[in-house]
Amino acid sequence: VLFRSLAGDGWTVVPVCTSDATSGSRVGGYPIACSGGSNANYAPSYSDGTLTVTRRAVTVTASDGTKVYGEADPALGYAVTAGSLVAGDGFTGTPVRVAGENVGRYEITQGTLALSSDYTLTVVAGGLTILSDRLLVVASPATRTYGEPNPTFTSTTVFPDGSRWTVAPVCTSDATSGSPVGSYLIRCSGGVAGNFTPSYSDGILTITQRLARVSVDSTTRTYGDPNPVFTVTAADL
């Protein structure tokens, strides 16, 4: 406490100045009162001052998160990244994210997250990223006869949410009409479905034997001669 007098005198007993405000006192103005000072040449007359308690600055950052398309949202978290809370104080409410369920990134904002009026709260946005789900595409098995063209290959897919292909997958095989009897892979690719990432499972094309009629050609020989060489003719049934 400073004392200014005409003669530059100082306090014999320095006054004590106090306020009813404590560290837990809320934002506002509180009187500062002084008393107890003495000086042989002066009779102190006290005028109160004001202690102004201002808002406490706190910054929180919304936590980034992920989920797979079709799953429930995870809890939206946050962390204090600047400032601190007074002991006993806490947050109310929760952050929210921009609405939407398709694959993509959705901003997480303040929502109802709040502190008391004794704080200035700043919220740094985060983001929830929705990832595409895996979608199993199974090539359907097929069978054909040797020498015939390949059939139209198909696949089986079950969309868990009832969606449809934006671009349907194409299924092919390396087998040609001239490929011999045996088993050949059927592979699918190229499917596009907005919220899904296709995962492909190969199928099998089975080429079976072709039925043929084999006929023995009629012939003659003279009595007593050996049999001639018999010949056969093969044709499709």
Side-chain angles (χ1 to χ4, degrees), residues 20-21 50 72 80 84 102 106 117 124 129 133 149 197 202 206 226-227 236:
D20 292 336
T50 299
V80 176
S84 61
N102 290 325
Y106 297 84
S117 58
V124 178
T129 300
D133 195 3
T197 298
D202 295 341
T206 301
N227 288 337
D236 284 343

Side-chain angles (χ1 to χ4, degrees), residues 71-234:
E71 294 181 349
D73 281 6
L76 301 180
Y78 56 89
V80 176
T81 50
S84 61
L85 301 187
V86 173
D89 289 347
F91 293 93
T92 59
T94 57
V96 297
R97 73 170 178 90
V98 173
E101 292 301 330
N102 290 325
V103 169
R105 188 179 188 276
Y106 297 84
E107 188 176 55
I108 300 172
T109 58
Q110 182 171 350
T112 59
L113 187 66
L115 289 169
S116 73
S117 58
D118 298 316
Y119 293 85
T120 297
L121 176 61
T122 300
V123 178
V124 178
L128 174 67
T129 300
I130 300 180
L131 305 173
S132 59
D133 195 3
R134 303 293 292 180
L135 184 68
L136 182 61
V137 181
V138 180
S140 302
T143 302
R144 71 167 176 84
T145 302
Y146 167 74
E148 293 181 351
N150 287 335
T152 299
F153 299 119
T154 61
S155 61
T156 301
T157 306
V158 177
F159 285 90
D161 64 348
S163 296
R164 295 184 178 182
W165 291 106
T166 304
V167 177
V170 175
C171 301
T172 60
S173 176
D174 291 337
T176 67
S177 59
S179 296
V181 169
S183 298
Y184 299 84
L185 288 179
I186 302 170
R187 294 185 174 91
C188 300
S189 63
V192 177
N195 293 310
F196 297 90
T197 298
S199 176
Y200 298 99
S201 177
D202 295 341
I204 297 295
L205 168 65
T206 301
I207 299 179
T208 60
Q209 290 180 322
R210 190 179 189 90
L211 293 177
R213 183 188 299 277
V214 179
S215 302
V216 178
D217 296 333
S218 297
T219 188
T220 61
R221 73 170 175 81
T222 302
Y223 171 73
D225 289 346
N227 288 337
V229 175
F230 300 118
T231 60
V232 296
T233 300

